[in-house]
Amino acid sequence: MGKFQLGEFEEIVMLTVGVLFGNAYGVSIKKEIEERQGRNVSVGALQSALKRLEDKGYLTSYEGESTSERGGRPKRYFNITAQGKNAIEETRKMRNQLYDAIPKPALDVKIG
Amino acid sequence: MNNPPKIALKFFRWFCRKDLLKYIEGDLIELFEEQVETKGLNKARLLFTWEVLKLFRPDIIRLNRSITQINQWTMFKNYLKVGIRNLLRYKAFSFINIFGLAVAMVVTLLLILLLVDQHQYDQFHTHSDRIYRIHSKLDNSIIANASSPVPLVETMQNDFAIIESGTNLIPGVGGDVIFNSATNTEIRGFFADDQFFKVFSFQLKEGNERTALAQPNSMVITSEVAQKLFHDDPAVGQQVRFLDRGLGLMKIDIGTGKEEVAEDWGTFTITGVVNLNDYKSHIDFDMLVSASTLPRLYQEGKVQDRSESWENYSVGYSYLMVYPDVSEAQLLASLQELVDLKYKDIADLSGIEFLPRSLNQITPGAFVGNPITLRLPIEAYFVLFGLAIVILLSAGFNYTNLSIARALTRTREIGVRKVNGAHRGSLIFQFLTESVLTSFCASTMAVVMLLLLKPVLNALWINQVLNFDLTINGWVFVGFFGVSLMVGLLAGAYPALVLSRFTPLKALKNLTDSHSSRFGFKRILNIAQFAFSLLFIVTAILIARQFHHIVNFEYGFSTENIINIPIQGNDYKLIQREFESIAGVSDISACEFVPALLHTNGASVSRAFSSEDLFNAEMISVSPDFIKTMSFELVAGKNLPAHLENSVVVNMSCIDKLKWDNPNEALGQTIYLEGQKAVQIAGVINDVKFQNPIMGDGKLPLILVNKPELFSFVNVKVNGDPYEVVHQLEEKWAAIDQTHPFNYFIYQDQLAKSTRWFGDLVSIVIGIAALAVIISCLGLLGMAIYTTERRIKEVSIRKVLGANTSQLLLALGRSFLILLLIAIVIGGPLSYLISNLWLESFPNRVDFGLGTVAIGSLCLLLIGSITIITQIVTVSRTNPVKSLKDE
């Protein structure tokens, strides 16, 4: 279990990369997260998370096309690796197990 | 197309990892373009910069960690391990290095302690950065005075807007304070105004700072005085009587001063108690008397009124507190304005200057005249630091020398490391690690040594005066850590550079025998060490001789078995009558001040009634018996008459100065004091040395007069041990004076004490000389061990071929002998010159010739030779088989 360590933000980045399948690069991931989560993501935080995930082997990247609106700089697309897939699955499984283990009455909270 | 901020982009390009740069830059630009559309150019530029700043984080920053990062720590551990192994393997060398450095560091540590202690002075004042003491400096003098005219503070406060507050301290209060006419203690202090506690941040243990010094006849005392007077009872509100005896501020009492008659200053109310032990300040006192008391004392004629006197710059200390943001230069300009205003009509003082000295720079500070408390001036620290650095250098030389000498034993290691890919940089780092390791070992040892040494140092008499507090605190450790690190790096720098230069091929083939040029460098270091040592030895011998000369000074009169008793305002005749009845007392006399201590009293004398041809003589008022008590020899004429004040007795020097050939010619002749007061010469005595040997050789013209009102000491000569008579004198004293406790000084002790600081100086210099010599000899020993070990085979072969010990000594020791001789040739004249320089400042000095230098050189030669010979003899005794059979 300890083999797949994913931080909360790392997990969100992984999942977003999955969601944007084939179109996951810096700006698009940032926008997707901001849209879905309603929170601000700085380029720094995102890039360092991507860097860490790539170092762990959960993501791969390849150089994409360069466009004029990017000042001629290429995009860098990310894909989930097999190991990355294991990691998010493992994390999800663990979360579900925990959720299932909660006794019913504990969740039976009336609002108000 | 809009441009993102250039600086931010440049910065980003500078720090970002190369592999990510173009992608992230693309992202940033894409976002920027979008935000220009939605939020406008300025906001977008701002956001861009903000994003760049947030990118400045470990994962994104480019680091040069290609190779070094991988095994820096591991390699460092390896260096440490190898260093420790080397220390343990060559124990003799390690001992020489560590011990030598430790000894040198003790001296340095001591100095750091002193400096840290002194720097803590006057730091507790809330506004210490804007309080200045005003020094006055006369046109023709180099040294400024700590004091300044009394009206300065008030005038500055009224006329210049930059001054927030100011306070005057007027010394000249010292005497006995009496409570309930029973307990009585001696106290000294200042007149201080009600601004005192506003300017300075002393806090009262009892009483109110704002009102304590406001009312006339108020007195603030220290907890020590309060304890003596009231024990544990509250002090504030108590009434005490104060008798002033004009005692000075300094508490070093060796009975030199003129005792003044006690004057009743009336009743004072205690308004505050301050615990001075809580504060480190250059201001030291037992009590403060409110300055508002002064008008009454002026009126009664007990204190001279100088509150309006701009001429007298030596009676008060002025402290000014400027408003925040007022610079020292502004204050200086205002003071200059004041001088222009007040001194335009005072011709004598036209060139006077007032100089502000920040409170933080008083202790330690430059030498000033008229200081409040005696402190070592900053100049003295420079001298001490010079000495410490010389010793530290000497110990550092040892390390450098021995490391280079031993380089050959480590060539293989260097070769292997290089072949395995070590850079020159990493080898330098390795050798520096070793030297710093050595220096840290040394500093640990130094701290231990210092802890053992501290009680000895605290016992030195000088310390009682200068009051050093040698507690070790955090700052000391910071300073000391820095010194150790620096010493390690400096001592290791040269060996590290030399050793790391070896090429692997040469190092592994052991072809580095071209060390003759480096030996030249080592020699220079050795010679410098020994030249310094010679200088120290010569200085030590000279200063010890000078001390001997002073201690065994021939005064020309008897100082044995004499007890000097302060009269304390009593009638001399009464004391004489009482003391005469004691069995062991042989002679009793009285005098104005005790001769040959630090107090002097000059008078100008001439043969004619005029202000020309005056010369300076020492004049003292004594009773006629004085000549007998002190065993002066009456050469001609009679003693002083009992009741005639215009008769004098002079000495032979005085007769010479007055240009009489024969003392008999002078008898009955009239001479003039200060060019006007006529006195007759009644008798002539031999030339007694009436001066402290530190101040001069005592060849002074001397005039004795009989003015009983000036007497302040009774001299009692006893048969046998003076200590046995003392308690009988004390019993008699109780009948004469009930107010003042009996006080006495044994004359010979007084004389010894007056030269005691010199004795301390002698011990310090001798100590430093010994350290310098020990360190140099350790270095020499190290070199001798190294050389003999390297030449052990040669020695063995020589022995096998029939050489005896003395031939071996010659063969091995010659180069060291030459080295010592060169050091003596260089150091001898140098020490002669330098010693002559400082000896000049002693008015009463021993003869100093090349003889002393020769003795010093001989000492050095002897110590050096013994060091080498012991090592060579040890080696030459070993059985040649042992060293020849291996390999």
Side-chain angles (χ1 to χ4, degrees):
Chain A
M1 182 75 59
K3 224 167 92 190
F4 302 107
Q5 281 283 325
L6 273 184
E8 186 256 4
F9 185 65
E10 282 174 341
E11 191 188 347
I12 289 172
V13 173
M14 286 283 292
L15 295 170
T16 314
V17 170
V19 169
L20 291 170
F21 176 67
N23 190 29
Y25 74 101
V27 177
S28 70
I29 301 171
K30 178 171 143 71
K31 282 187 182 155
E32 189 70 25
I33 297 175
E34 280 172 351
E35 218 165 89
R36 284 181 187 266
Q37 300 260 316
R39 70 179 187 190
N40 262 327
V41 177
S42 76
V43 181
L46 177 66
Q47 288 293 344
S48 95
L50 286 170
K51 168 99 184 31
R52 278 199 306 274
L53 290 169
E54 200 180 359
D55 287 348
K56 284 178 188 171
Y58 298 162
L59 293 177
T60 56
S61 64
Y62 60 93
E63 191 173 314
E65 78 286 358
S66 42
T67 57
S68 64
E69 72 258 31
R70 290 172 59 85
R73 313 272 171 222
K75 287 176 185 171
R76 185 167 179 229
Y77 289 108
F78 289 90
N79 269 331
I80 299 178
T81 61
Q83 213 183 350
K85 179 175 159 264
N86 285 342
I88 43 177
E89 272 175 359
E90 200 65 54
T91 316
R92 186 180 182 187
K93 212 164 85 188
M94 189 185 74
R95 192 167 289 182
N96 285 343
Q97 277 171 0
L98 277 173
Y99 187 87
D100 295 341
I102 301 174
K104 270 249 157 65
L107 289 173
D108 197 16
V109 183
K110 291 212 163 51
I111 299 162
Chain B
M1 176 129 188
N2 301 298
N3 285 326
K6 255 203 187 110
I7 301 172
L9 196 64
K10 253 193 177 155
F11 174 62
F12 171 71
R13 282 178 185 159
W14 173 73
F15 74 73
C16 184
R17 301 169 62 98
K18 279 280 163 295
D19 54 337
L20 296 179
L21 179 64
K22 53 184 176 185
Y23 309 115
I24 301 181
E25 195 180 318
D27 284 2
L28 282 173
I29 292 170
E30 191 181 334
L31 281 168
F32 174 72
E33 290 295 330
E34 250 184 70
Q35 271 157 353
V36 172
E37 299 286 310
T38 54
K39 290 173 178 156
L41 182 64
N42 285 334
K43 189 122 192 242
R45 288 171 71 101
L46 219 73
L47 282 167
F48 182 89
T49 313
W50 182 228
E51 287 288 0
V52 167
L53 284 179
K54 281 196 285 190
L55 270 163
F56 193 72
R57 49 170 74 212
D59 288 318
I60 314 288
I61 295 174
R62 154 179 62 152
L63 281 177
N64 256 343
R65 42 187 161 184
S66 47
I67 309 160
T68 39
Q69 190 218 6
I70 303 166
N71 50 11
Q72 205 165 31
W73 175 240
T74 331
M75 282 316 284
F76 181 70
K77 277 202 292 196
N78 176 269
Y79 297 155
L80 260 186
K81 195 177 272 177
V82 170
I84 291 169
R85 281 178 185 165
N86 265 314
L87 279 184
L88 294 177
R89 189 163 159 206
Y90 304 99
K91 288 199 179 68
F93 292 109
S94 310
F95 174 77
I96 290 169
N97 278 333
I98 294 177
F99 182 75
L101 280 175
V103 166
M105 279 177 180
V106 167
V107 180
T108 318
L109 181 56
L110 213 63
L111 268 170
I112 293 177
L113 275 181
L114 291 188
L115 266 189
V116 166
D117 173 55
Q118 296 292 294
H119 261 293
Q120 286 168 350
Y121 273 80
D122 293 304
Q123 299 296 321
F124 66 93
H125 302 294
T126 323
H127 308 299
S128 65
D129 53 329
R130 49 193 181 100
I131 302 173
Y132 296 89
R133 181 166 78 183
I134 309 302
H135 290 188
S136 39
K137 184 164 161 289
L138 296 189
D139 203 15
N140 52 6
S141 91
I142 320 159
I143 296 164
N145 276 302
S147 51
S148 48
V150 179
L152 187 136
V153 169
E154 203 187 326
T155 315
M156 285 298 286
Q157 263 181 292
N158 292 342
D159 298 359
F160 294 93
I162 56 170
I163 310 294
E164 182 179 333
S165 185
T167 187
N168 253 325
L169 285 179
I170 302 171
V173 204
D176 301 312
V177 64
I178 304 167
F179 177 60
N180 271 349
S181 63
T183 37
N184 126 11
T185 181
E186 194 179 276
I187 57 176
R188 303 140 194 265
F190 299 96
F191 291 104
D193 49 44
D194 54 351
Q195 299 293 300
F196 181 83
F197 289 109
K198 198 174 157 195
V199 175
F200 301 118
S201 308
F202 293 102
Q203 274 170 7
L204 291 179
K205 215 173 79 179
E206 279 182 59
N208 184 337
E209 289 92 4
R210 270 186 304 143
T211 55
L213 289 168
Q215 296 302 316
N217 306 323
S218 310
M219 195 186 267
V220 171
I221 54 175
T222 60
S223 331
E224 279 161 20
V225 177
Q227 182 64 29
K228 276 187 201 155
L229 288 179
F230 314 110
H231 307 294
D232 294 325
D233 297 335
V236 170
Q238 300 281 16
Q239 306 275 318
V240 292
R241 210 156 67 90
F242 180 68
L243 300 175
D244 187 73
R245 284 198 282 124
L247 297 177
L249 277 170
M250 311 263 182
K251 284 181 193 168
I252 355 160
D253 190 10
I254 48 174
T256 60
K258 245 180 79 181
E259 290 275 323
E260 272 186 33
V261 183
E263 224 173 10
D264 191 351
W265 278 13
T267 313
F268 289 83
T269 311
I270 305 291
T271 50
V273 178
V274 60
N275 187 1
L276 273 197
N277 294 333
D278 292 348
Y279 305 103
K280 276 193 175 175
S281 173
H282 74 285
I283 305 171
D284 194 17
F285 55 86
D286 296 321
M287 104 291 220
L288 299 170
V289 173
S290 59
S292 46
T293 321
L294 276 167
R296 174 174 71 83
L297 294 169
Y298 294 151
Q299 222 173 18
E300 295 172 3
K302 285 169 180 163
V303 175
Q304 205 184 335
D305 185 358
R306 277 147 177 161
S307 58
E308 298 300 328
S309 158
W310 287 95
E311 287 87 355
N312 196 319
Y313 53 85
S314 60
V315 286
Y317 299 98
S318 311
Y319 294 86
L320 294 176
M321 182 162 92
V322 296
Y323 280 106
D325 306 327
V326 175
S327 70
E328 195 173 321
Q330 278 172 280
L331 180 59
L332 185 66
S334 304
L335 286 164
Q336 193 50 49
E337 236 176 280
L338 182 84
V339 170
D340 295 342
L341 204 71
K342 297 288 176 187
Y343 286 90
K344 59 172 184 274
D345 298 329
I346 309 175
D348 289 359
L349 296 172
S350 55
I352 198 169
E353 277 178 277
F354 292 129
L355 307 166
R357 170 73 65 83
S358 167
L359 201 58
N360 297 325
Q361 283 165 20
I362 291 177
T363 311
F367 186 77
V368 286
N370 215 355
I372 288 190
T373 40
L374 213 54
R375 295 269 179 258
L376 218 50
I378 201 141
E379 289 86 348
Y381 287 102
F382 289 142
V383 173
L384 288 175
F385 253 108
L387 293 179
I389 284 173
V390 168
I391 290 191
L392 211 52
L393 271 182
S394 198
F397 286 176
N398 277 354
Y399 184 87
T400 308
N401 261 351
L402 293 180
S403 307
I404 300 172
R406 266 177 40 221
L408 291 177
T409 60
R410 301 193 63 179
T411 46
R412 288 218 167 76
E413 181 193 338
I414 297 165
V416 170
R417 278 184 192 273
K418 282 209 166 172
V419 166
N420 279 320
H423 293 285
R424 190 170 170 210
S426 28
L427 280 170
I428 289 176
F429 184 72
Q430 181 195 350
F431 288 114
L432 286 182
T433 311
E434 279 180 29
S435 61
V436 171
L437 180 77
T438 312
S439 102
F440 276 120
C441 287
S443 58
T444 318
M445 197 160 152
V447 171
V448 175
M449 275 154 94
L450 187 81
L451 291 177
L452 296 174
L453 209 66
K454 239 173 79 173
V456 183
L457 291 167
N458 279 329
L460 278 184
W461 181 77
I462 280 187
N463 200 33
Q464 284 174 28
V465 183
L466 300 174
N467 208 1
F468 288 128
D469 177 10
L470 295 179
T471 32
I472 296 177
N473 61 18
W475 281 112
V476 173
F477 275 110
V478 171
F480 196 49
F481 183 80
V483 170
S484 313
L485 195 69
M486 219 172 64
V487 167
L489 291 179
L490 286 181
Y494 187 79
L497 288 177
V498 171
L499 298 189
S500 61
R501 211 189 290 146
F502 290 169
T503 55
L505 186 68
K506 270 188 174 178
L508 286 171
K509 282 182 77 182
N510 224 349
L511 287 174
T512 42
D513 246 355
S514 59
H515 63 293
S516 50
S517 62
R518 277 191 305 280
F519 195 63
F521 177 76
K522 281 183 289 189
R523 270 201 156 158
I524 290 168
L525 291 189
N526 274 135
I527 290 169
Q529 267 184 333
F530 277 98
F532 275 129
S533 304
L534 184 59
L535 174 64
F536 281 130
I537 293 177
V538 170
T539 310
I541 295 176
L542 194 58
I543 206 165
R545 277 185 55 200
Q546 175 75 22
F547 181 61
H548 189 256
H549 173 70
I550 281 174
V551 168
N552 298 315
F553 189 65
E554 287 294 335
Y555 293 94
F557 59 91
S558 159
T559 58
E560 279 169 16
N561 298 340
I562 291 176
I563 309 168
N564 293 317
I565 299 150
I567 289 185
Q568 310 199 42
N570 292 292
D571 181 17
Y572 162 59
K573 287 284 167 205
L574 184 71
I575 298 176
Q576 195 186 18
R577 263 202 306 281
E578 290 289 334
F579 283 0
E580 260 170 355
S581 58
I582 297 171
V585 174
S586 69
D587 294 294
I588 301 176
S589 63
C591 61
E592 184 182 3
F593 55 86
V594 181
L597 295 181
L598 301 170
H599 192 90
T600 59
N601 181 29
S604 40
V605 185
S606 62
R607 225 172 121 170
F609 182 86
S610 78
S611 52
E612 283 164 39
D613 285 335
L614 293 171
F615 66 89
N616 225 338
E618 186 76 2
M619 187 163 86
I620 178 171
S621 178
V622 296
S623 72
D625 323 303
F626 190 70
I627 289 178
K628 187 157 175 269
T629 317
M630 295 287 170
S631 318
F632 293 170
E633 193 187 316
L634 211 54
V635 181
K638 298 188 299 273
N639 200 341
L640 287 167
H643 293 294
L644 212 57
E645 283 191 9
N646 55 2
S647 279
V648 295
V649 167
V650 298
N651 69 350
M652 286 301 287
S653 302
C654 204
I655 296 291
D656 286 345
K657 284 266 187 185
L658 289 162
K659 300 195 177 71
W660 276 300
D661 299 328
N662 189 325
N664 288 313
E665 284 173 28
L667 294 177
Q669 299 278 2
T670 305
I671 54 170
Y672 295 90
L673 302 179
E674 316 293 342
Q676 43 189 354
K677 189 176 184 292
V679 288
Q680 270 84 42
I681 297 177
V684 179
I685 54 167
N686 61 331
D687 268 340
V688 290
K689 307 272 173 73
F690 222 61
Q691 197 178 22
N692 191 278
I694 288 176
M695 291 158 86
D697 58 6
K699 288 180 190 136
L700 289 176
L702 177 68
I703 296 173
L704 307 179
V705 292
N706 182 5
K707 284 186 186 164
E709 71 272 15
L710 291 178
F711 294 164
S712 39
F713 285 95
V714 176
N715 327 99
V716 178
K717 181 158 186 152
V718 298
N719 303 317
D721 186 7
Y723 287 98
E724 284 171 15
V725 187
V726 162
H727 71 273
Q728 295 181 51
L729 290 171
E730 192 167 3
E731 277 170 28
K732 293 283 180 190
W733 179 269
I736 305 163
D737 188 338
Q738 283 85 21
T739 341
H740 302 103
F742 178 70
N743 200 0
Y744 73 95
F745 304 96
I746 308 289
Y747 195 16
Q748 289 207 309
D749 294 353
Q750 280 180 293
L751 289 170
K753 269 186 190 168
S754 73
T755 52
R756 192 157 171 193
W757 63 270
F758 201 79
D760 280 357
L761 189 68
V762 173
S763 356
I764 290 171
V765 172
I766 290 180
I768 289 177
L771 290 185
V773 175
I774 288 174
I775 291 172
S776 310
C777 282
L778 281 176
L780 195 63
L781 182 69
M783 291 302 287
I785 293 174
Y786 173 72
T787 315
T788 47
E789 273 178 4
R790 270 194 45 83
R791 292 170 73 178
I792 188 97
K793 288 219 167 69
E794 180 195 332
V795 171
S796 303
I797 292 169
R798 277 176 193 270
K799 273 187 86 172
V800 169
L801 293 177
N804 56 26
T805 306
S806 55
Q807 283 167 322
L808 285 175
L809 269 179
L810 199 68
L812 291 173
R814 207 177 49 206
S815 59
F816 290 109
L817 202 67
I818 291 170
L819 195 136
L820 276 176
L821 287 176
I822 295 175
I824 287 169
V825 167
I826 294 172
L830 197 75
S831 51
Y832 181 75
L833 287 176
I834 292 177
S835 301
N836 255 335
L837 271 183
W838 65 259
L839 198 65
E840 290 286 309
S841 59
F842 283 92
N844 175 21
R845 53 179 180 263
V846 290
D847 305 321
F848 172 60
L850 287 169
T852 311
V853 177
I855 294 173
S857 309
L858 219 65
C859 282
L860 187 73
L861 209 57
L862 203 71
I863 301 171
S865 306
I866 290 172
T867 315
I868 305 163
I869 289 170
T870 45
Q871 175 57 27
I872 296 178
V873 168
T874 323
V875 171
S876 63
R877 284 240 182 95
T878 52
N879 190 344
V881 175
K882 268 187 191 162
S883 51
L884 283 177
K885 77 175 177 194
D886 74 359
E887 206 163 276

